[in-house]
């Protein structure tokens, strides 16, 4: 079990907690390979999915995980920028509190929004991605994927490529992979490397050739073409040429390296088709693992003492 | 206590008056609103009220040259009256109201309004600072001479920088006729847009957009050059970075007419505290790193930073109780300044009590051309008596300010004002039941 109320990020989880989540996720994967892919662990519990920022993939993955654990779920999406986002969040929190639910899964464009909810609510808060801060379940599913393919993570060489400064996936991966003993480096245009990131225990590269040399794991981040404000690189064409992963560049990595991407992919920009669909790619496996990891997190935070068993045949319609 | 205006004898305190180099245990006799006599032992008339200041420090009243009082426009956050009362409780006998109100203080009528409301408050004196530019728009300079005449003590667009260097040049040139400083809020906004906290390892970890230190330093450097070029007096508000301190140090060596202030929160706190996403730590300039904090302390010690100002910036709880990016910048400071400075500067061994008193009274008085800041006989009797050892816990419920947004909530501090005189009248005395002195040993 996890000795905490909320899952807000991987930065404050211990190595042991991370391993517990991954082990639980692995067990769920086994359960889900049985004919009835549903367990009663969260029966009678209510989970609210609050998505203030569009993300079909993550929302569906959470909903799937909740349903497979037999939870009652409500999903709420509010996109588009309202002038008083903060007030909306506070009001929403108060309303939810009044409805006596068990857990909230929140996705928000502002870093720290889940922390704000967690401070104000008794229910479990699970961060499904906050601003440029963290996306802990993505980090966990990345860890699970690599562990499945490579076994032990200690000593593995991993590189994360792209807009590190604005990526919550990069931050969660950095915390998670370094905690489990992997050797993590990051690579991107120098405008996309955040201040003092070396202090997190990662090496920084701005030349992709150096960054890929002998690595076991390549994690390619999505380039946000729609990002507002000052452009962080001169053109997509130049980015693709310098940092886009193709078969040629990938030759510098280990021959059995795996390539990950949190999706959705800009094909031909940060990664080309040949690599995205090629033998090294584990991108679809990440999606499957996303459901298992989210089940594990929900189970460990919300289910607590509930049984882990699959439903009996006759129960499947609940 | 209900002391009359005539005679008060403050007896047996440690008298610290940097203006006259006095640091001794003795008596201060106040009569007719002015300081009558300072000495080892003063004989007094039978009618004088006697205040036993044994174990306490008797200093010139503190002067805060940077407070946002929010009136007119945001009386729900603070009023001139509530701000002046909070100031008094914090040991300040004079405060300067910043002009970024709604409407801003950019006309003679507004200057007079602030003065009148200040007088009506019956607490700390309130001096208005007026806008550098009309409507705080950063375009054309305000009627500085008229504003000065009406009682403005200096000029600032604080809250915003004067982005246009040409406008700043004219402001410094024009103000040089008026013998008062132009106070600069140093921020190159093209570098700070969207920023929420100091740029560095902590902002990277939190995924919050950073405000780089160079955004402050660029304007500090620009304004120093403009001050040297025009001969205008420049005062740098709330400096927060190491390089800013170095720039001022060099400018002073070169004889530029520049002065500077630092705030208690930048002196005491760093960006590490933001890890909780607590909006009470959100301010502009943001809390910086330990290196910067130590550079500010060194700057205070060697005289590079002339004075300490609170940048008291009240906001309602509703405004601050939101996700970090949505919260307004600013923290209150009038009621915590003294405790913070004694705890983090004096008890920490960085500054002597005398140096601290100078930064809080004499220096800001000099910068603004006020007659306060001294206990010399004949001076107006603005006096702060404080207990440097009194321990207290910051509890926003006890604030006289209308707002609660203090970064020091729950913190244990040493040092609090116990008696404050403005023009010889005891306008504040702490109730002994609530704050018992820790001991009566001399400071
Ligand atoms: Zn300012």
């Amino acid at each position: 079990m996890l000795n905490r109320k909320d899952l807000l990020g991987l930065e404050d989880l211990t190595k042991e907690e991370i391993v517990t989540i991954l082990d639980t996720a692995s067990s769920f994967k086994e359960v889900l390979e049985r004919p009835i892919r549903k367990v009663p662990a969260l029966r009678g519990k209510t989970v609210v999915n609050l998505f203030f920022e569009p993300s079909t993939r993550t929302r569906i993955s959470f909903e799937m995980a909740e349903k497979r654990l037999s939870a009652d779920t409500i999903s709420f999406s509010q996109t588009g920028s309202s002038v008083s986002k903060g007030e909306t969040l506070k009001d929403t929190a108060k309303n939810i509190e009044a409805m006596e639910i068990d857990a909230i899964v929140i996705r928000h464009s502002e870093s720290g929004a889940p922390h704000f909810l967690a401070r104000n609510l008794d229910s479990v808060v699970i961060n499904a991605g906050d601003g440029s801060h963290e996306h802990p379940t993505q980090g966990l599913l990345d860890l699970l994927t690599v562990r499945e393919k490579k076994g032990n993570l200690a000593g593995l060489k991993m590189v994360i490529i792209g807009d590190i400064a604005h990526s919550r996936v990069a931050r969660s991966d950095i915390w998670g992979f370094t905690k489990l003993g992997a050797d993590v480096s990051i690579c991107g245009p120098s405008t996309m490397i955040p201040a003092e990131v070396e202090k997190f225990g990662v090496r920084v590269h701005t030349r992709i050739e150096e960054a890929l040399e002998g690595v076991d794991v390549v994690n390619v981040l999505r380039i946000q073409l729609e990002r507002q404000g000052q452009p962080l690189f001169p053109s997509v064409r130049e980015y693709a040429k310098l940092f886009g992963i193709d078969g040629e560049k990938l030759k510098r990595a280990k021959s059995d390296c795996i390539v990950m991407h949190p999706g959705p992919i800009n094909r031909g920009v940060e990664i080309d088709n040949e690599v995205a669909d090629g033998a090294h790619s584990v991108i679809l496996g990440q999606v499957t693992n996303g459901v298992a990891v989210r089940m594990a997190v929900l189970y460990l935070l919300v289910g607590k003492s509930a049984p882990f068993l699959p439903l009996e045949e006759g129960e499947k319609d609940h | 206590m209900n002391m009359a205006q005539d005679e008060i004898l403050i007896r047996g305190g440690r008298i610290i008056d940097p203006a006259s180099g006095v640091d001794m245990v003795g008596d201060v006799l106040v009569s007719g609103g002015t300081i009558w006599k300072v000495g080892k032992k003063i004989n007094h008339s039978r009618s004088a009220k006697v205040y036993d200041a044994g174990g306490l420090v008797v200093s010139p009243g503190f002067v805060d040259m940077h407070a946002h009082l929010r009136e007119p426009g945001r009386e729900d956050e603070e009023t001139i009256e509530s701000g002046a009362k909070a100031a008094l409780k914090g040991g300040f006998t004079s405060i300067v109201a910043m002009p970024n109100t709604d409407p801003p203080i950019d006309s003679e009528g507004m200057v007079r309004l602030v003065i009148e409301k200040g007088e009506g408050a019956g607490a700390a004196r309130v001096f208005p600072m007026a806008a550098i530019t009309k409507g705080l728009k950063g375009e054309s300079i305000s009627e500085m001479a008229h504003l000065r005449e009406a009682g403005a003590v200096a000029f600032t667009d604080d809250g915003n920088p004067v982005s246009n260097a040409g406008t700043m040049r004219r402001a410094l040139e024009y103000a040089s006729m008026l013998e008062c400083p132009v106070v600069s809020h140093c921020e190159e906004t093209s570098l700070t847009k969207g920023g929420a906290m100091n740029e560095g390892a902590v902002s990277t970890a939190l995924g919050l957009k950073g405000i780089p230190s160079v955004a402050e330093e660029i304007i500090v450097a620009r304004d120093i050059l403009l001050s040297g070029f025009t001969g205008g007096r420049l005062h740098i508000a709330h400096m927060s970075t190491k390089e800013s301190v170095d720039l001022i140090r060099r400018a002073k060596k070169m004889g530029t007419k520049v002065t500077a202030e630092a705030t208690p929160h930048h002196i005491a706190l760093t960006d590490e505290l933001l890890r909780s996403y607590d909006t009470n730590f959100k301010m502009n300039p943001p809390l910086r790193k330990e290196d910067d904090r130590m550079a500010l302390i060194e700057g205070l010690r060697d005289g590079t930073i002339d004075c300490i100002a609170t940048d008291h910036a009240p906001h309602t709880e509703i405004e601050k109780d939101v996700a970090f990016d949505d919260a307004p910048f600013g923290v209150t400071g009038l009621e915590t300044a003294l405790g913070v400075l004694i705890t983090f500067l004096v008890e920490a061994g960085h500054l002597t009590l005398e140096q601290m008193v100078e930064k809080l009274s004499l220096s800001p008085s000099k910068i603004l051309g006020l007659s306060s800041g001294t206990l010399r006989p004949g001076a107006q009797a603005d006096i702060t008596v404080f207990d440097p050892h009194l321990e207290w816990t910051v509890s926003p419920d006890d604030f006289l300010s209308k707002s609660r947004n203090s970064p020091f909530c729950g913190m244990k501090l040493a040092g609090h004002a116990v008696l404050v005189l403005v023009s010889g009248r005891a306008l504040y005395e702490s109730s002994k039941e609530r704050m018992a002195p820790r001991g009566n040993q001399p400071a």
Side-chain angles (χ1 to χ4, degrees):
Chain A
M1 289 296 133
L2 297 180
N3 193 21
R4 57 179 63 243
K5 177 169 104 54
D6 312 296
L7 177 70
L8 301 177
L10 295 192
E11 185 185 0
D12 61 345
L13 286 190
T14 63
K15 180 184 172 182
E16 290 68 33
E17 286 175 302
I18 292 173
V19 170
T20 301
I21 297 170
L22 298 181
D23 290 346
T24 310
S26 298
S27 314
F28 273 124
K29 271 189 93 171
E30 281 168 35
V31 170
L32 295 180
E33 277 152 20
R34 298 176 195 178
I36 296 162
R37 294 194 283 273
K38 197 160 180 168
V39 293
L42 296 194
R43 185 183 284 165
K45 305 275 188 186
T46 306
V47 182
V48 178
N49 302 304
L50 285 179
F51 278 66
F52 291 93
E53 193 189 66
S55 168
T56 314
R57 291 161 167 257
T58 305
R59 189 170 50 83
I60 289 175
S61 182
F62 266 106
E63 284 174 7
M64 184 84 79
E66 289 149 11
K67 291 202 158 71
R68 297 224 159 140
L69 293 169
S70 310
D72 296 321
T73 70
I74 298 160
S75 290
F76 169 79
S77 302
Q78 192 202 326
T79 56
S81 62
S82 90
V83 189
S84 53
K85 278 182 290 180
E87 284 173 46
T88 310
L89 188 58
K90 176 86 180 177
D91 286 345
T92 309
K94 283 189 165 167
N95 278 300
I96 292 163
E97 199 168 36
M99 289 189 281
E100 312 226 346
I101 52 96
D102 300 286
I104 289 174
V105 174
I106 176 174
R107 156 71 60 103
H108 205 282
S109 58
E110 288 183 71
S111 303
H115 304 68
F116 178 77
L117 276 193
R119 259 205 309 276
N120 284 286
L121 299 176
D122 294 328
S123 13
V124 170
V125 175
I126 295 169
N127 182 1
D130 63 323
S132 304
H133 176 232
E134 283 221 47
H135 192 354
T137 55
Q138 176 74 41
L140 290 163
L141 75 87
D142 289 345
L143 286 164
L144 184 62
T145 307
V146 174
R147 195 173 80 163
E148 282 176 356
K149 297 287 172 192
K150 298 283 176 191
N152 198 354
L153 275 86
L156 280 182
K157 280 184 77 177
M158 181 208 207
V159 62
I160 308 170
I161 298 160
D163 184 357
I164 312 295
H166 296 97
S167 173
R168 50 194 171 215
V169 177
R171 282 169 180 73
S172 289
D173 276 355
I174 289 171
W175 299 124
F177 280 87
T178 53
K179 273 179 192 175
L180 293 194
D183 170 23
V184 180
S185 54
I186 57 174
C187 179
S190 39
T191 47
M192 292 179 163
I193 305 293
E196 302 185 303
V197 69
E198 326 77 53
K199 289 191 176 160
F200 299 2
V202 298
R203 256 171 304 115
V204 178
H205 294 281
T206 50
R207 295 175 60 90
I208 193 86
E209 292 78 11
E210 286 170 16
L212 286 171
E213 202 64 60
V215 298
D216 301 284
V217 180
V218 181
N219 194 6
V220 184
L221 302 176
R222 174 181 163 79
I223 287 301
Q224 308 276 351
L225 300 170
E226 67 281 12
R227 187 166 289 290
Q228 299 281 312
Q230 291 169 317
L232 297 172
F233 52 86
S235 72
V236 172
R237 199 175 76 118
E238 182 159 308
Y239 183 87
K241 185 161 187 295
L242 289 178
F243 297 98
I245 300 300
D246 57 22
E248 192 53 37
K249 290 196 184 104
L250 201 60
K251 280 181 186 161
R252 292 175 181 267
K254 282 208 183 126
S255 55
D256 63 344
C257 77
I258 58 173
V259 176
M260 302 197 293
H261 189 295
I265 300 173
N266 297 304
R267 288 172 181 268
V269 180
E270 69 263 3
I271 190 167
D272 71 4
N273 286 335
E274 167 194 14
V275 177
D277 306 328
H280 297 287
S281 170
V282 295
I283 296 171
L284 289 176
Q286 288 176 271
V287 178
T288 312
N289 284 340
V291 178
V293 152
R294 284 163 185 133
M295 286 175 76
V297 167
L298 286 158
Y299 172 73
L300 292 169
L301 291 174
V302 187
K304 310 279 183 194
S305 57
F308 197 84
L309 307 168
L311 290 182
E312 299 301 320
E313 276 291 349
E315 286 187 308
K316 65 180 171 185
D317 293 324
H318 281 279
Chain B
M1 183 172 57
N2 187 18
M3 287 187 183
Q5 213 170 335
D6 27 48
E7 274 200 346
I8 300 172
L9 181 77
I10 302 168
R11 189 162 67 189
R14 177 178 166 190
I15 302 162
I16 298 180
D17 182 28
S20 52
V22 167
D23 185 350
M24 65 170 191
V25 174
D27 301 349
V28 176
L29 182 65
V30 173
S31 183
T34 58
I35 292 173
W36 200 253
K37 216 172 172 192
V38 175
K40 285 259 180 250
K41 190 151 186 24
I42 299 174
N43 292 319
H44 58 92
S45 67
R46 282 177 143 242
S47 61
K49 299 265 166 65
V50 178
Y51 185 88
D52 178 11
L56 306 176
V57 174
V58 183
S59 88
F62 304 151
V63 177
D64 183 9
M65 64 178 294
H66 193 150
H68 297 272
L69 301 185
R70 306 299 188 209
E71 185 179 357
R74 287 306 304 267
E75 289 83 352
D76 56 328
E77 291 180 330
E78 197 79 285
T79 60
I80 290 169
E81 184 176 343
S82 65
K85 286 181 171 161
L88 197 67
K89 189 178 169 194
F92 292 95
T93 52
S94 295
I95 54 174
V96 173
M98 300 309 261
N100 62 336
T101 48
D102 183 19
I105 304 170
D106 66 349
S107 66
E108 291 166 271
M110 288 296 301
V111 168
R112 285 198 207 98
L113 178 98
V114 174
I115 292 170
E116 275 166 30
K117 292 249 180 188
E119 282 167 357
R125 299 173 196 274
V126 178
F127 295 94
M129 216 181 266
I132 296 173
T133 63
K134 287 174 190 152
L136 298 168
K137 290 199 175 101
E139 289 156 12
S140 51
I141 57 174
S142 58
E143 293 180 310
M144 290 184 170
H146 282 134
L147 294 164
R148 180 85 171 118
E149 180 82 25
V153 291
F155 298 94
T156 189
D157 275 5
D158 184 65
N160 291 299
V162 176
S163 293
N164 186 307
T167 306
M168 192 62 177
R169 170 198 173 160
R170 295 303 173 213
L172 282 162
E173 277 173 348
Y174 202 78
S176 68
M177 303 187 299
L178 307 170
E179 314 228 317
C180 71
V182 172
V183 178
S184 177
H185 167 117
C186 295
E187 178 179 351
E188 170 50 55
T189 52
S190 66
L191 289 167
T192 61
K193 196 161 177 275
M197 65 172 294
N198 181 50
E199 180 173 317
V202 183
S203 69
T204 293
L206 294 178
L208 291 172
K209 190 162 187 314
I211 297 174
S213 50
V214 73
E216 173 176 316
E217 293 145 5
I218 283 172
I219 303 298
V220 170
R222 182 199 76 174
D223 288 353
I224 284 171
L225 293 171
L226 286 171
S227 166
F229 184 71
T230 60
R233 274 177 59 199
L234 172 71
H235 177 78
I236 304 288
H238 47 57
M239 51 192 300
S240 70
T241 82
K242 184 173 185 298
E243 184 62 29
S244 291
V245 179
D246 289 343
L247 286 164
I248 303 274
R249 188 176 285 124
R250 273 181 276 163
K252 283 191 165 178
K253 273 195 191 129
M254 285 164 20
T256 309
K257 286 190 234 168
V258 56
T259 52
E261 73 191 29
T263 75
H265 46 271
H266 290 111
I267 292 164
L269 312 174
T270 68
D271 64 355
E272 288 292 331
L273 291 159
L274 275 86
R275 291 191 184 274
S276 57
Y277 291 99
D278 183 342
T279 58
N280 280 332
F281 296 109
K282 183 173 177 179
M283 64 238 1
N284 188 23
L287 294 178
R288 305 283 188 185
K289 295 195 259 183
E290 182 64 9
D291 274 6
D292 299 300
R293 188 177 87 85
M294 292 315 291
L296 293 180
I297 290 171
E298 187 49 41
L300 285 164
R301 201 156 46 187
D302 71 10
T304 302
I305 301 175
D306 301 85
C307 71
I308 295 165
T310 66
D311 194 7
H312 179 77
H315 292 291
T316 62
E317 255 172 303
I318 290 171
E319 289 172 287
K320 278 283 193 181
D321 194 14
V322 293
F324 203 85
D325 277 326
D326 294 324
F329 291 100
V331 298
T332 63
L334 288 167
E335 289 166 84
T336 50
L338 178 61
V340 169
L341 297 174
I342 289 180
T343 306
F344 288 89
L345 285 179
V346 179
E347 289 202 338
H350 298 304
L351 247 59
T352 63
L353 263 181
E354 187 183 359
Q355 287 171 313
M356 184 202 74
V357 165
E358 182 177 355
K359 305 283 181 197
L360 277 173
S361 57
L362 180 62
S363 289
S365 298
K366 275 193 194 160
I367 292 167
L368 297 170
L370 305 178
S371 54
S372 54
T374 176
L375 296 176
R376 279 209 189 96
Q380 69 190 31
D382 288 1
I383 301 174
T384 297
V385 180
F386 62 92
D387 182 345
H389 298 294
L390 192 144
E391 275 189 359
W392 60 292
T393 301
V394 179
S395 165
D397 290 341
D398 297 338
F399 284 173
L400 297 183
S401 168
K402 281 192 162 190
S403 293
R404 307 272 171 271
N405 52 310
S406 167
F408 300 104
C409 291
M411 197 179 279
K412 200 175 231 186
L413 299 175
H416 202 290
V418 293
L419 174 72
V420 182
L421 275 64
V422 179
S423 271
R425 293 178 62 202
L427 296 183
Y428 173 79
E429 193 196 358
S430 69
S431 75
K432 297 253 158 66
E433 311 80 76
R434 281 174 60 202
M435 290 188 288
R438 184 163 62 180
N440 267 352
Q441 71 273 39

